[in-house]
Amino acid sequence: MADPDRSAPRVSGRGKLSTTDEELLRTLYAEHAGPLFHYVLRLTSGDRQWAEDVVQETLLRAWQHPDAFDPARGSPRAWLCTVARHLVIDAHRARQARPTEVGGESLQRVAEQTPGEDQIEQALQSWAVADALRSLSPDHRAVLLETYYRGRTMAQAAQVLGIPLGTVKSRTYYALHALRLALQERGIEP
């Protein structure tokens, strides 16, 4: 997709993009902008303007870091989703750090009635984790269910599952590795 030897974006003398850079941006936009926009729109609670800004900034960062699209590093869309999610989180934190400009009891009631961005982010992550768990083998899911969800020790999980302790330990290790990869494919950095 991009020239791996390129360390920084090239801009011609008058501040215009080179032909190679234009092609990279066009390809990125054509392949990923639509799905990325819909993903970011959910993260921004339906705020289209904010979502468009996040997608634009994400694609700009992709253009600035063409090494991120090396096939050995994984899916380009996963990288784009991760960058976009971090941009939304950073913007949300920046908004929380600023003092409230307007107040009032009615605004507080509205805020309590509508789900906050943290709740939406948590729900989206829960869905992504559930989807990633479904992609694991039944044995790996069972071990993670017992050890993490139900909070059992390895020995207790071995007893409940009727398998040796060493098998529980190795399945847990490989299940966590597979889960980490599945989450990265969905744009979540564990």
PDB file of all heavy atoms in Angstrom, residues 27 40 47 65 69 78 100 148 154 186:
ATOM      1  N   THR A  27      -6.302   5.677  -1.869  1.00  0.00           N
ATOM      2  CA  THR A  27      -6.484   4.251  -1.588  1.00  0.00           C
ATOM      3  C   THR A  27      -6.981   4.038  -0.167  1.00  0.00           C
ATOM      4  O   THR A  27      -7.920   3.267   0.070  1.00  0.00           O
ATOM      5  CB  THR A  27      -5.151   3.495  -1.798  1.00  0.00           C
ATOM      6  OG1 THR A  27      -4.699   3.726  -3.136  1.00  0.00           O
ATOM      7  CG2 THR A  27      -5.328   2.010  -1.556  1.00  0.00           C
ATOM      8  N   VAL A  40     -16.494   5.003  14.019  1.00  0.00           N
ATOM      9  CA  VAL A  40     -16.262   6.208  14.816  1.00  0.00           C
ATOM     10  C   VAL A  40     -17.587   6.882  15.168  1.00  0.00           C
ATOM     11  O   VAL A  40     -17.732   7.437  16.264  1.00  0.00           O
ATOM     12  CB  VAL A  40     -15.321   7.186  14.077  1.00  0.00           C
ATOM     13  CG1 VAL A  40     -15.197   8.499  14.813  1.00  0.00           C
ATOM     14  CG2 VAL A  40     -13.947   6.551  13.889  1.00  0.00           C
ATOM     15  N   ASP A  47     -22.360  11.793  16.722  1.00  0.00           N
ATOM     16  CA  ASP A  47     -21.927  13.139  16.355  1.00  0.00           C
ATOM     17  C   ASP A  47     -21.170  13.060  15.022  1.00  0.00           C
ATOM     18  O   ASP A  47     -19.983  12.749  14.973  1.00  0.00           O
ATOM     19  CB  ASP A  47     -21.041  13.724  17.449  1.00  0.00           C
ATOM     20  CG  ASP A  47     -20.661  15.179  17.216  1.00  0.00           C
ATOM     21  OD1 ASP A  47     -20.627  15.614  16.043  1.00  0.00           O
ATOM     22  OD2 ASP A  47     -20.401  15.873  18.214  1.00  0.00           O
ATOM     23  N   HIS A  65       2.372   7.766   8.806  1.00  0.00           N
ATOM     24  CA  HIS A  65       3.025   6.546   9.299  1.00  0.00           C
ATOM     25  C   HIS A  65       2.758   5.380   8.347  1.00  0.00           C
ATOM     26  O   HIS A  65       2.069   4.422   8.709  1.00  0.00           O
ATOM     27  CB  HIS A  65       2.515   6.203  10.701  1.00  0.00           C
ATOM     28  CG  HIS A  65       2.726   7.283  11.700  1.00  0.00           C
ATOM     29  ND1 HIS A  65       3.948   7.522  12.273  1.00  0.00           N
ATOM     30  CD2 HIS A  65       1.891   8.215  12.219  1.00  0.00           C
ATOM     31  CE1 HIS A  65       3.854   8.543  13.098  1.00  0.00           C
ATOM     32  NE2 HIS A  65       2.614   8.994  13.079  1.00  0.00           N
ATOM     33  N   PHE A  69       1.301  -0.018   7.730  1.00  0.00           N
ATOM     34  CA  PHE A  69       0.563  -0.856   6.793  1.00  0.00           C
ATOM     35  C   PHE A  69       1.397  -1.999   6.236  1.00  0.00           C
ATOM     36  O   PHE A  69       1.058  -2.590   5.232  1.00  0.00           O
ATOM     37  CB  PHE A  69      -0.018   0.013   5.662  1.00  0.00           C
ATOM     38  CG  PHE A  69      -0.979   1.016   6.219  1.00  0.00           C
ATOM     39  CD1 PHE A  69      -0.593   2.312   6.451  1.00  0.00           C
ATOM     40  CD2 PHE A  69      -2.245   0.633   6.588  1.00  0.00           C
ATOM     41  CE1 PHE A  69      -1.461   3.227   7.014  1.00  0.00           C
ATOM     42  CE2 PHE A  69      -3.117   1.530   7.151  1.00  0.00           C
ATOM     43  CZ  PHE A  69      -2.726   2.826   7.362  1.00  0.00           C
ATOM     44  N   ALA A  78      -7.473  -2.615  11.411  1.00  0.00           N
ATOM     45  CA  ALA A  78      -7.327  -2.712  12.870  1.00  0.00           C
ATOM     46  C   ALA A  78      -6.494  -1.535  13.380  1.00  0.00           C
ATOM     47  O   ALA A  78      -6.827  -0.935  14.394  1.00  0.00           O
ATOM     48  CB  ALA A  78      -6.678  -4.038  13.256  1.00  0.00           C
ATOM     49  N   THR A 100     -16.910  23.091  33.186  1.00  0.00           N
ATOM     50  CA  THR A 100     -18.205  23.145  32.537  1.00  0.00           C
ATOM     51  C   THR A 100     -18.556  24.593  32.220  1.00  0.00           C
ATOM     52  O   THR A 100     -18.471  25.468  33.079  1.00  0.00           O
ATOM     53  CB  THR A 100     -19.290  22.540  33.449  1.00  0.00           C
ATOM     54  OG1 THR A 100     -18.865  21.232  33.819  1.00  0.00           O
ATOM     55  CG2 THR A 100     -20.622  22.472  32.750  1.00  0.00           C
ATOM     56  N   TYR A 148     -11.569 -16.526  34.377  1.00  0.00           N
ATOM     57  CA  TYR A 148     -11.703 -15.068  34.410  1.00  0.00           C
ATOM     58  C   TYR A 148     -13.123 -14.619  34.732  1.00  0.00           C
ATOM     59  O   TYR A 148     -13.329 -13.774  35.593  1.00  0.00           O
ATOM     60  CB  TYR A 148     -11.238 -14.449  33.077  1.00  0.00           C
ATOM     61  CG  TYR A 148      -9.745 -14.456  32.970  1.00  0.00           C
ATOM     62  CD1 TYR A 148      -9.070 -15.532  32.390  1.00  0.00           C
ATOM     63  CD2 TYR A 148      -8.989 -13.416  33.485  1.00  0.00           C
ATOM     64  CE1 TYR A 148      -7.691 -15.552  32.321  1.00  0.00           C
ATOM     65  CE2 TYR A 148      -7.612 -13.428  33.420  1.00  0.00           C
ATOM     66  CZ  TYR A 148      -6.971 -14.500  32.838  1.00  0.00           C
ATOM     67  OH  TYR A 148      -5.602 -14.520  32.781  1.00  0.00           O
ATOM     68  N   MET A 154      -6.914 -21.864  38.935  1.00  0.00           N
ATOM     69  CA  MET A 154      -6.603 -22.872  37.916  1.00  0.00           C
ATOM     70  C   MET A 154      -6.998 -24.272  38.400  1.00  0.00           C
ATOM     71  O   MET A 154      -7.557 -25.061  37.645  1.00  0.00           O
ATOM     72  CB  MET A 154      -5.116 -22.842  37.563  1.00  0.00           C
ATOM     73  CG  MET A 154      -4.643 -21.555  36.961  1.00  0.00           C
ATOM     74  SD  MET A 154      -5.039 -21.508  35.219  1.00  0.00           S
ATOM     75  CE  MET A 154      -4.271 -19.984  34.766  1.00  0.00           C
ATOM     76  N   ARG A 186     -10.153  -6.644  15.702  1.00  0.00           N
ATOM     77  CA  ARG A 186     -11.364  -5.831  15.830  1.00  0.00           C
ATOM     78  C   ARG A 186     -11.029  -4.397  16.228  1.00  0.00           C
ATOM     79  O   ARG A 186     -11.916  -3.618  16.546  1.00  0.00           O
ATOM     80  CB  ARG A 186     -12.296  -6.463  16.856  1.00  0.00           C
ATOM     81  CG  ARG A 186     -12.952  -7.727  16.304  1.00  0.00           C
ATOM     82  CD  ARG A 186     -13.435  -8.647  17.398  1.00  0.00           C
ATOM     83  NE  ARG A 186     -14.091  -9.817  16.853  1.00  0.00           N
ATOM     84  CZ  ARG A 186     -13.449 -10.877  16.396  1.00  0.00           C
ATOM     85  NH1 ARG A 186     -12.140 -10.933  16.408  1.00  0.00           N
ATOM     86  NH2 ARG A 186     -14.127 -11.908  15.904  1.00  0.00           N
TER      87      ARG A 186
END
